[in-house]
Every structure is written in structure tokens, then in C-alpha cells.
Amino acid sequence: MSDTPFGFGLPPEEPEDGDEGKKRNPGGGQGSGGPPGNPFGFGIGQGGGDNPFAAMFGSLNPSDLGAAFQQLGQMLSFEGGPVNWDMARQIARQTVAQGTPDGTKDASVGPVERTAVEEAVRLADLWLDGVTSLPSGAGTAVAWSRAEWVEATLPAWQQLVDPVAERVGAAMGDVLPEEMQAMAGPLLGMMRSMGGAMFGQQIGQAVGVLAGEVVGSTDIGLPLGPAGKAALLPLNIEALGKDLGVPRDEVRLYLALREAAHQRLFAHVPWLRSHLFGAVEGYARGITVDTGKLEDVVGQFDPTHPEQLQEALQQGMFQPEDTPQQKAALARLETALALVEGWVDAVVHAAAASRLSSAGALRETLRRRRASGGPAEQTFATLIGLQLRPRRLRDASRLWASLTDARGVDGRDALWEHPDMLPTATDLDDPDGFVHREQLDFSELDKMLGEAAGRRGSQDRPDAGTGEGPAGKDHGAREDGGDKDGGTDPDGRGE
């Protein structure tokens, strides 16, 4: 019987020198982990060979049956939330250890590569200083192995996936009549634990595959890594540049420009991180669970065949509601992703076009790569119900470039001061209309609010009177309006 966690048929071991040279699980397991091109890793091979549960139960000797049920008991005892993130981490690490389809294994990053990444990020920040008013947002620059990328980004994936997983878990308790739920308590608890295990297995596979594709911490347009830490993956950068005919130093520097530009945006636009993750969560709230399919699974659930839940997830047990609210949520998310990626694309091109001969080719390569996605992105599209892809990247990039020409760098970047100032999906349809729209002049409002603040100070003095009467009421109305519009910032932009 294999010693892999829960019999999931994981690859045999961690890389010999991956993740700071630490080798894990030297004994390893002997199951099938699923091909790297299939991030789910189940239900595809002949005879269920790629199904971890088929591997777990399908070919047991009677003497192994007790051990198999012991593993199942460990799975069912999980009570940590909608997703078993410990399992996700283990499977992601093991998927990374298995290597990519081209046979590349993970490896720890040596001092030479770390120094090269640090110097590339430092130079990238210098170049970006001339094309954006946002200061550097990278307090440190790090070079990660694939395993280190997994560890650093799992908290962000948890924030993305948990809302959907919670909806599925809640639906499991709603499919039975209320009078039966008390009697079925143990079964429902088992179902939720199994659901957490299924999500953990799928997320782990997807994160592990994605670790073999990404080149930094912001590849999908969301800040997956720790704040203020610009990160690049030298092994994946080398793989990306292998067939481009571009010197590795230029590829690294161009990718450092993109990573550093993302870091500036997320560091100095304080509302942006929560805005993006909130948009994902808002979209997740509109996802519905196919209760009919779930009822069938619950009604026919056999603890000795836990792959039933896995197959239900694989077949798409939840889908977005086709409502105006859900369509609007999707539009907000796609527009936000496009604006982030479009701004980064525009400022990086401005910084690199005159300095790197390969800038144009690298720009087009990354645009196409971002537009097409990969197998891991398809997995997340199934898991959280949407593709984290900026469909209108080119439109957004053109709009930001036009804004630079019309308003200058400061005028362009000032739009990030408040989400209500950003272009909308409609503005992407008519970029010229947005670019040449009359800009709001806050000078009169600033003057009026300053005078109101001065009057409020005089009202607070002991000899200032009650402030009642027409003048007092007028002052109070302006004061309330100022608080609502601007918070702590007198121009109403919320900084």
C-alpha cells in the first residue's frame, strides 16, 4: 500500500534540489498523478487509471482494505472549512515535483540567478520611473522555485476559491428536507468533508500545473504573492525564452518590467487589491448549484465510492446565474482585469520600446499567452466559474496610451485615485470619447469645503453660538456632503 496522503496516486518525490535543496518523502508513492496537461488528473485514463479514487479502491488486495478505509477516515475527518487546503498544498507540491510536460524538473534557485533577478528588477524600476508617476512598489525582489511559488500564493488562491466552495457546501445541506437534515447530520458532515477533499485535490493539481507555467507573482493580473515583493521564476523564464530567439537577459528584464509595474499599481492604489478580489467574490455569489444533480449524488452516495462526488464536480455542478446582476458582475471583473493589464502593457512598452530591440516581439508573445491561457487556467474556470482573463487587453492598452498622449503621465495615472474615475466597459468601446472628455475640476469644491471646514472650526469654539438657523443648517448640509463625498480627503477622491 502506498504511503501517499489519502492514496491520491501522487508523484514519487520532491525534486532532488528543489525548494532550497530539501528532498521530501523519499519513499514516495507509486500511483498515477495524472498527466501535466490534465490539471484535474482524474477520470480521463482507461479504466479509471487517472482517477485517484480508482487508484485508491480499484485494485486493492483484501489485506489492504483496512488501510484504505483508514485513509478514507482521515479524509472524512477534515473539519477545516470548505476546501482542504492542507491536501491542496501537498498535491500541488507533488505535482510540481512531477515536472512539466517537456521533462523539466523543479530546482532550487542558485545565488547567480537570484542576483540576476534582483538586478533586473532594480533596473526595471529605474526605467519605469520615467514613464509613470507611481513610485516603486517592490520593497524586495526574489527569485522563486516552482515549489516556493506554490507556498507563497496559496493564501490568495484560498481567498479566490473559498466563496465558491462555501456555496457548494451550503447546497449540500439544502438538498434534503428540513425534517431529514437532523437525522442525516453525520451523512451531511461526511459529504462536506468529502467536498472539501475534492476541492483540495483539484485546486492542488491546478496550482501545481500553473506553477510550471507562470513567470512571476502577477501573471493572471491579480496580486498572488506577498505585498511589496516582486518575484520571478528563473526556470520558467528560461523555458519561455527558449524558442523565442531572444537573449535570456532581455527576456528576464522585460518580465521584470511587467512584475515591477504590477507591484507599483498594487502598492500605490490601495483600493485595487480588495476591488479585484471583491469582484471575484461578487461574481461567486451569483453562482448557482445544480441541486438536481446534487440530490442524485446525495441520494445515491456510497461511502465506498467517493469518486461520485468527484465526478459531479468534474461535470460542472455549478454555473453562473444568467441574470442582469451576474452579467454586470462579470463585466466589472473583466473590465478591471483589462484595465490593470492594459496599464501594465502600456507603461512597460513605453519603458522598453527604445531600450530593448526585442520589446515588440516580447510584448506580442505575452499578449497572446495571456489571451489563450493554459490548462491550469481552464481548471480554475471550472472551479470558480470564470476565466481570469483580460478579454479586452488590447482595447485597454490603446486607451491608456491615448490618455498618456492627451493628458500626460500624471493625468493618466491620476485616474487610479478612485475606482469611479476609471474607464468603464463602455469607455473601452469609445476610447476617444473618454480621452477627450472634459476633466473634472475640483478647485471650486476644494475652496468651498475649505471654507466649510473653517466655519466648522469657529462653530466648535465656546463662544461660537449654537449654529442653528438657516446658516447653521446650510453649513451642516455642506459638512455632511463633504463627509459622504470625500471621506478624509477634501476633493472627494477618498485618499
Side-chain angles (χ1 to χ4, degrees):
M1 187 65 188
S2 97
D3 61 356
T4 55
F6 310 121
F8 266 39
L10 304 177
E13 60 183 27
E14 294 282 355
E16 293 289 340
D17 56 348
D19 195 17
E20 304 298 334
K22 296 178 182 178
K23 182 177 178 182
R24 294 177 174 270
N25 299 332
Q30 302 300 322
S32 167
N38 171 22
F40 285 101
F42 56 80
I44 305 296
Q46 295 179 351
D50 287 328
N51 187 322
F53 290 101
M56 179 175 174
F57 291 103
S59 58
L60 293 181
N61 296 321
S63 59
D64 294 329
L65 192 59
F69 276 99
Q70 182 179 3
Q71 290 179 321
L72 179 60
Q74 291 174 339
M75 185 186 302
L76 297 179
S77 65
F78 172 73
E79 298 179 352
V83 178
N84 189 330
W85 287 103
D86 290 336
M87 178 180 292
R89 173 180 285 103
Q90 282 187 313
I91 293 178
R93 294 284 300 246
Q94 295 285 356
T95 303
V96 164
Q98 186 179 24
T100 51
D102 62 1
T104 304
K105 298 289 187 178
D106 193 20
S108 59
V109 181
V112 174
E113 291 169 318
R114 292 188 185 278
T115 299
V117 166
E118 291 170 358
E119 292 178 349
V121 172
R122 188 180 303 114
L123 181 57
D125 262 334
L126 288 175
W127 288 7
L128 289 172
D129 283 340
V131 295
T132 174
S133 63
L134 299 180
S136 174
T140 57
V142 295
W144 283 340
S145 67
R146 293 166 179 169
E148 288 171 324
W149 182 90
V150 167
E151 294 291 345
T153 63
L154 272 178
W157 292 120
Q158 183 172 355
Q159 191 174 353
L160 283 170
V161 176
D162 272 353
V164 177
E166 287 173 359
R167 291 191 65 81
V168 176
M172 288 180 176
D174 295 338
V175 296
L176 294 177
E178 186 175 351
E179 61 274 11
M180 294 181 60
Q181 290 186 15
M183 298 174 58
L187 175 61
L188 290 176
M190 182 187 303
M191 294 286 289
R192 292 190 181 97
S193 296
M194 290 296 297
M198 304 306 171
F199 267 107
Q201 192 267 340
Q202 291 178 306
I203 288 294
Q205 291 256 352
V207 169
V209 172
L210 195 57
E213 302 172 358
V214 296
V215 294
S217 70
T218 55
D219 281 35
I220 66 168
L222 296 173
L224 297 180
K229 185 172 288 187
L232 295 176
L233 282 72
L235 185 62
N236 293 354
I237 291 174
E238 182 177 358
L240 174 65
K242 188 178 298 182
D243 300 324
L244 296 180
V246 177
R248 191 191 329 182
D249 289 348
E250 290 195 18
V251 177
R252 183 194 301 114
L253 181 52
Y254 192 86
L255 296 174
L257 282 165
R258 289 184 53 83
E259 179 75 8
H262 277 103
Q263 293 296 334
R264 288 182 182 231
L265 204 54
F266 291 121
H268 300 292
V269 183
W271 54 265
L272 183 57
R273 181 184 295 259
S274 60
H275 179 75
L276 288 169
F277 281 96
V280 174
E281 185 174 352
Y283 184 82
R285 283 197 296 267
I287 291 176
T288 56
V289 178
D290 187 342
T291 54
K293 184 179 296 185
L294 188 58
E295 286 175 0
D296 292 340
V297 173
V298 172
Q300 302 172 14
F301 178 66
D302 182 351
T304 64
H305 293 87
E307 70 274 7
Q308 292 174 355
L309 280 179
Q310 182 123 359
E311 291 170 357
L313 287 175
Q314 180 186 1
Q315 295 168 5
M317 193 163 58
F318 46 87
Q319 58 188 0
E321 287 184 301
D322 188 19
T323 63
Q325 293 82 1
Q326 186 68 351
K327 290 178 180 178
L330 178 59
R332 284 193 299 272
L333 177 59
E334 290 183 341
T335 300
L337 287 173
L339 291 174
V340 168
E341 291 292 281
W343 184 87
V344 168
D345 181 76
V347 299
V348 167
H349 183 70
S354 62
R355 295 181 172 100
L356 293 178
S357 59
S358 59
L362 289 169
R363 182 190 200 189
E364 188 59 29
T365 295
L366 291 172
R367 277 180 167 183
R368 292 179 179 177
R369 186 173 184 261
R370 191 71 178 89
S372 61
E377 287 194 44
Q378 294 299 323
T379 298
F380 287 113
T382 301
L383 286 174
I384 64 177
L386 77 160
Q387 294 177 334
L388 296 172
R389 193 173 301 161
R391 301 179 188 276
R392 307 195 64 181
L393 167 59
R394 293 178 188 271
D395 294 336
S397 181
R398 281 194 293 268
L399 188 147
W400 287 118
S402 297
L403 281 167
T404 307
D405 294 338
R407 304 185 186 182
V409 168
D410 291 345
R412 177 200 66 197
D413 293 346
L415 294 176
W416 289 107
E417 291 180 358
H418 192 279
D420 291 343
M421 298 174 66
L422 288 177
T424 64
T426 303
D427 294 324
L428 293 180
D429 295 329
D430 182 23
D432 290 338
F434 180 84
V435 168
H436 299 293
R437 185 181 304 163
E438 183 177 354
Q439 300 183 57
L440 296 176
D441 184 1
F442 290 100
S443 59
E444 288 299 320
L445 180 61
D446 288 343
K447 181 180 178 181
M448 183 175 66
L449 291 177
E451 292 174 352
R455 287 195 295 271
R456 180 171 59 184
S458 65
Q459 292 279 25
D460 290 339
R461 291 199 302 269
D463 58 347
T466 63
E468 295 178 353
K473 291 180 180 178
D474 184 55
H475 167 235
R478 284 196 302 270
E479 181 181 334
D480 291 343
D483 286 348
K484 291 177 182 178
D485 292 342
T488 59
D489 185 33
D491 66 7
R493 287 172 284 180
E495 285 199 340

